Amino acid sequence: MRVLFSRLTLALGLCAAGLALAQAPTAQPVRIGVIGPFSGPSSDFGNPMLHGVQLAVEEINAVGGYLGRPLELVVKDDQGNPDVGLKGSQELAKEGVIATIGFCNTGVAAKSLDVFQNGQLPLIIPCATGTPLTAKFPAPQSYIFRTSARDAIQAPFVVGDLVKRGWTKVAIFADTTGYGEAGMKDVEAALAAKQLKPVHVARFPLGVKDLDKELAAARDAGANVVFSYTVGPENATIANGMRDLKWDAPQVGAWPLSFPFFIDGAKAAADGALMAQTFIAEPSNERRAAFLTAYQRKYKHKIAVPMAAAQSYDSTYLLTYALFSIRDGKFTGPAVKSALENITRVYYGVVSTYEKPFSTDDKDAVTPNMLVMGKVKNGAVTFAYPEDARRNLVVQRKK
């Protein structure tokens, strides 16, 4: 029996697999919504997110689903557009899904939050990292959960690394989307906690092709590092602009610096860039090796954005674990919300070992100890520090 299949069977503890044999083959499926940018400019991390969910559902259904009922995905493409995302969210709320996994873009998610909250439809965000997303509603009443690292922990983590390296003259380059706005504020707050202020701040719209003037101003202001906050090819515009100016300052940021838009768009100029990561696609232990192998076998290619796939894969299992505490199959919104807040069994995931990942007062599953610094090297992301690679042999738990 394959290692992956064996591990999953043991992890789920599926007494349900036995019960599944007694169920009719036409058992009513459990419908789960999935929404994200599966086309358009953000599809480079939207599709890995979708693939992570699909892979997990395939594995879960192979061992019985929910008490013999298969999980069924209802997929909506938000195209990275807030208005399209709102329409898709409203459709999901009408289509009988019991929960939704979704959103890669902070601005797209932000416009749809009220749909899930007002409809009492639990939402698990596996990719979008804007800090306000899980802070909009009081935690005890909130139906918004997250398994990605919010920017409020990514920014201090990266700033701490900069200070350790002696890079304290920081220029911030942030786009004008909701993601860039929230991220800029988190970086400024993280710097202030170290008694620092940015020496230069530049704002720019998505699609900008030339930032040479802003980069020259940052260089002339004495910046010795550029902290970028944007999700698209603009990160590459920054790296290429510094190369053209022959300005050899490091570029650092949150997880979008691990995206193909940056690495492929900047090529050699991307080398050495540093970013916060929860998951680096190296087979550092059995679970991660099994996940990477299963993904490669199913999709026939390497993961474009490994964090997106790993976090959505874990999100799907966490939701399933929660559902198994609802023995009567009555998946009301409050019942699923309560189940997510009170997951009793430990899930040995890819990103983390999840022991009580959510609670009534805390809807974010990722804590700072789960982060590592990633580094672009020869067109791929690896560990910035050898000690992180060694520490990564042990999957971290929430603190």
Side-chain angles (χ1 to χ4, degrees), residues 128-139:
T129 59
T131 300
L133 295 180
T134 46
K136 180 173 182 179
F137 308 110

Side-chain angles (χ1 to χ4, degrees), residues 99 115 174 244 269:
V115 173
D244 294 343

Side-chain angles (χ1 to χ4, degrees), residues 5-165:
F5 186 87
S6 174
R7 178 177 69 81
L8 291 168
T9 304
L10 289 172
L12 280 171
L14 279 178
C15 60
L19 291 174
L21 299 176
Q23 298 290 323
T26 56
Q28 183 180 4
V30 178
R31 308 188 85 206
I32 297 170
V34 184
I35 186 167
F38 310 132
S39 65
S42 293
S43 60
D44 59 341
F45 64 125
N47 282 312
M49 185 204 87
L50 176 61
H51 291 162
V53 175
Q54 290 172 329
L55 178 60
V57 165
E58 180 179 281
E59 293 171 354
I60 292 163
N61 283 341
V63 290
Y66 169 83
L67 301 181
R69 296 171 59 183
L71 305 185
E72 178 182 276
L73 298 179
V74 181
V75 179
K76 302 292 181 181
D77 180 6
D78 67 31
Q79 302 172 27
N81 181 304
D83 292 325
V84 176
L86 177 60
K87 182 175 183 290
S89 298
Q90 292 167 336
E91 291 171 352
L92 286 172
K94 297 175 182 177
E95 291 186 24
V97 300
I98 55 95
T100 293
I101 299 170
F103 295 114
C104 288
N105 304 91
T106 293
V108 179
K111 189 156 187 175
S112 291
L113 292 184
D114 286 346
V115 173
F116 296 94
Q117 184 68 19
N118 295 339
Q120 295 187 329
L121 177 61
L123 170 69
I124 303 176
I125 301 172
C127 288
T129 59
T131 300
L133 295 180
T134 46
K136 180 173 182 179
F137 308 110
Q141 287 79 50
S142 180
Y143 280 76
I144 314 301
F145 299 78
R146 176 159 48 192
T147 57
S148 56
R150 65 192 184 279
D151 293 325
I153 66 172
Q154 288 194 63
F157 179 77
V158 176
V159 166
D161 188 72
L162 302 187
V163 172
K164 182 170 66 176
R165 293 170 182 265

